């Protein structure tokens, strides 16, 4: 019942999200329509195929994974070859990577307004705070079967408090995939709108008839 209520509420909330690619709104911790459909499909599979192992199906395990992600980001930020795509590859779901990959294929031959400019500043990882990212607070919530949500707030340097106020918190939607938690969506309503970053990519893909998933991409995130 809890699962049906979550999906029904999320589907209603995002009924108008299909054509939105930016703008701010409340409800940053909800799921996009395509994400709901994907999650329903996964939930319909046999028990154990995508379900989280018992030792990982805890709020503490989700929190530990999130802390490891940002430790990794801080570790990589000083390397000469680092870019934020590396974080995507290491920590995001196969579905997220597939949507992003197909947009990149489309945009390789596109021009001007036909290109996706959803996150030029890399806010899906920085949240307007910059590195090193120091976590001030972290909350986790287990959802259904293979999904969790984490809300992480970062400490802001006092000299930047006015510019970054309201941009210091990230809500993450995580899926259990290949035996570990992976990020499937990033929610910063002031930056990505109420459907999150994945929702922006999905809306752009629908607008330009770009497939959301492809046969040449792995079905799970890249290993660390």
């Amino acid at each position: 019942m809890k699962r049906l209520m979550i999906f029904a509420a999320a589907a209603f909330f995002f009924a108008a999200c299909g054509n939105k690619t930016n703008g701010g709104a409340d409800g940053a911790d909800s799921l996009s329509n395509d994400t709901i459909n994907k999650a329903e499909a996964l939930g319909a599979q046999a028990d154990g195929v995508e379900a989280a192992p018992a030792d990982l199906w805890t709020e503490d395990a989700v929190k530990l994974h999130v802390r490891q992600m940002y430790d990794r980001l801080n570790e990589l930020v000083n390397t000469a070859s680092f870019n934020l795509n590396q974080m995507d590859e290491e920590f995001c779901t196969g579905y997220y990577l597939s949507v992003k990959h197909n947009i990149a294929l489309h945009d390789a031959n596109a021009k001007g307004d036909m290109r996706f400019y959803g996150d030029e500043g890399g806010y899906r990882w920085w949240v307007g705070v910059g590195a090193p990212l120091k976590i001030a607070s972290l909350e986790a919530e287990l959802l259904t079967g293979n999904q969790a949500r984490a809300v992480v707030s970062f400490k802001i340097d006092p000299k930047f408090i006015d510019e970054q106020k309201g941009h210091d918190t990230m809500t993450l939607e995580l899926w259990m995939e290949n035996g570990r938690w992976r990020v499937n969506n990033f929610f910063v309503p002031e930056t990505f709108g109420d459907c999150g970053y994945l929702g922006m990519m999905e809306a752009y893909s629908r607008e330009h008839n770009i497939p959301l998933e492809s046969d040449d991409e792995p079905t799970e995130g890249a290993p660390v």
Side-chain angles (χ1 to χ4, degrees):
M1 176 65 70
K2 178 181 178 182
R3 174 181 179 174
L4 292 176
M5 291 177 65
I6 290 173
F7 285 148
F12 175 80
F13 188 83
F14 284 115
C17 268
N19 295 323
K20 273 188 82 170
T21 57
N22 212 334
D26 292 332
D29 58 349
S30 299
L31 309 178
S32 69
N33 288 331
D34 292 288
T35 295
I36 294 168
N37 294 336
K38 181 71 172 180
E40 288 281 21
L42 291 175
Q45 295 180 10
D47 290 343
V49 174
E50 288 287 340
D55 58 335
L56 294 180
W57 187 245
T58 68
E59 293 178 354
D60 286 342
V62 176
K63 291 179 181 179
L64 176 61
H65 176 77
V66 171
R67 290 187 183 279
Q68 289 174 337
M69 285 195 316
Y70 288 105
D71 285 346
R72 177 64 168 158
L73 178 61
N74 288 334
E75 172 190 340
L76 289 174
V77 75
N78 292 322
T79 61
S81 61
F82 168 67
N83 62 65
L84 292 176
N85 291 326
Q86 184 174 352
M87 288 296 296
D88 289 348
E89 291 292 331
E90 291 190 7
F91 291 104
C92 292
T93 64
Y95 175 64
Y96 172 100
L97 293 175
S98 177
V99 175
K100 178 182 173 183
H101 170 75
N102 289 345
I103 288 176
L105 290 180
H106 169 271
D107 285 2
N109 298 314
K111 298 179 180 179
D113 293 339
M114 293 292 288
R115 297 177 62 85
F116 180 71
Y117 296 106
D119 189 20
E120 293 298 295
Y123 287 113
R124 63 191 183 279
W125 289 106
W126 302 130
V127 204
V129 179
L133 291 177
K134 297 180 180 179
I135 295 177
S137 65
L138 176 58
E139 299 177 2
E141 177 186 4
L142 301 175
L143 299 180
T144 60
N146 68 334
Q147 297 180 39
R149 178 180 297 127
V151 180
V152 55
S153 296
F154 301 96
K155 297 178 182 178
I156 299 179
D157 188 319
K159 64 184 177 183
F160 297 121
I161 192 70
D162 291 336
E163 294 88 344
Q164 296 173 352
K165 186 177 181 180
H167 293 267
D168 59 344
T169 300
M170 171 72 78
T171 299
L172 302 168
E173 173 197 322
L174 300 106
W175 287 5
M176 174 57 57
E177 187 177 84
N178 195 28
R180 60 179 294 212
W181 290 107
R182 296 183 185 275
V183 179
N184 193 61
N185 203 355
F186 302 81
F187 294 98
V188 185
E190 296 87 350
T191 307
F192 304 138
D194 50 14
C195 291
Y197 184 54
L198 176 64
M200 289 177 64
M201 292 198 297
E202 289 170 334
Y204 179 84
S205 298
R206 289 191 296 269
E207 181 181 354
H208 297 284
N209 296 314
I210 303 171
L212 296 176
E213 297 184 83
S214 57
D215 295 333
D216 60 339
E217 277 293 281
T219 58
E220 58 193 32
V224 175

